[in-house]
Structure formats: structure tokens, C-alpha cells
Amino acid sequence: AHVHCGKPGVNGPVAFSLAPGEEDNSEEISIMGTITDDDITETDCGMTVLDLYYSIYLAEAYVNVHSTENPSGEIRGSYMGIEVTAFPLSGEMQVPPLDTDVIGMAM
């Protein structure tokens, strides 16, 4: 799983990784951690965590979760201006859209 720079409907480069690339076949996974400015690998959406936060808030960055079946992305989602800091992830948000039963939530 990664955070990518890019607006809805547009693919973009990986800004930073959320999880190592290890296989997990469980039905539910949870990823928690802390990022620093040093973790940012692509600066298209900012060079600092604060810059990246604003890119996410403005829907100029998205979360993309990859799978073995869909290595370019199984589910994807962008912040949608809602009051909570969570947003849905789905195959419909992939570019191009992907028909999958997998869903998720980024918080």
C-alpha cells in the first residue's frame, strides 16, 4: 500500500509507502505507523509531511492498495472533504476502474 500523488482519475507516482511489499491473504489488514519527511520518496505533492497532508486534504494524493492479482492497484481512494479523517477505498477509483469485491477504508 502506498500514498500516491495524483487527483481522482489520474495515476501518479508513489509519495511514500504505507506497508512493506509482503503477501497477506487475510480478509482484513490494518496498517499503522508514523512517517517523517525522510520517508517521502516523491516530491510531486510536497517535500514535507505537512505538504503531503495538504495534498491529501485537497484530493491531490490518494491511497492505493496493491494485490497479487492487481499489482498496479486493487483498491484506491481519495479524501472526499468529509468531516472525519477517513475515506473509502474501492476498485471503482482505480484508473482504469477495476471490478473487485475488495473494499477498504483509509484513516
Side-chain angles (χ1 to χ4, degrees), residues 38-61:
D38 292 335
D39 296 316
I40 297 172
T41 58
E42 173 58 56
T43 59
D44 282 5
C45 47
M47 297 180 68
T48 67
V49 173
L50 184 59
D51 293 339
L52 192 56
Y53 170 81
Y54 285 122
S55 291
I56 292 168
Y57 182 77
L58 296 171
E60 294 174 354

Side-chain angles (χ1 to χ4, degrees), residues 62-99:
Y62 60 92
V63 174
N64 198 13
V65 181
H66 309 266
S67 69
T68 303
E69 294 82 19
N70 295 289
S72 63
E74 178 85 19
I75 55 177
R76 164 185 172 152
S78 298
Y79 179 71
M80 299 171 61
I82 49 182
E83 299 237 352
V84 295
T85 56
F87 48 93
L89 307 173
S90 72
E92 295 173 342
M93 302 285 285
Q94 286 293 344
V95 179
L98 181 68
D99 185 21

